[in-house]
Amino acid sequence: MTASVVNTGTNTRVSSVLNRDVKQFGKKFMFDGQDETCWNSDQGSPQWVYLEFLQPCCVQDVHIQFQGGFVGKECCIEGTHSEAEEFTKLMEFYPEDTNKLQIFPVNSSFPIKSMKILFLSSTDFFGRITIYKLDILGTTV
């Protein structure tokens, strides 16, 4: 059964936080379920979100809700089967510049232990990314 594979044991990192203000714009706000909170990157491209799962999982969908005007234009997802492996590019995707929740199907040929979502460019002139919700759906192996 497909369910969220992101939980309290998932190790997450981000490329940057706006003005280093993690109390207001930190990575935890992508996963808190609140409509008013978000992760806000600092300026510059590329930006990224890294997730390391407790167990390898078969990822089926990535759900992202951006703030319009601060959306990744050219994006890709990379994954590894184990911590020692190099990242393999799984897919490229091109989100719409909108506030609505967007769903991107992922066709991984192997179970993923860690993944990186790369935002190679942004709709923001300064390269900032703002994400209100991020969820990874799949099954644990």
Side-chain angles (χ1 to χ4, degrees), residues 113-131:
K113 175 66 174 152
S114 56
M115 69 185 292
K116 189 184 280 188
I117 303 170
L118 292 150
F119 307 102
L120 303 172
S121 63
S122 172
T123 57
D124 175 56
F125 179 76
F126 296 103
R128 295 169 294 190
I129 301 290
T130 302
I131 297 178

Side-chain angles (χ1 to χ4, degrees), residues 5-11 51-57 83 112-114 140-141:
V5 293
V6 178
N7 56 45
T8 55
T10 303
N11 179 23
L51 301 106
E52 183 179 346
F53 307 110
L54 288 175
Q55 300 174 33
C57 54
E83 294 170 30
I112 296 172
K113 175 66 174 152
S114 56
T140 55
V141 179

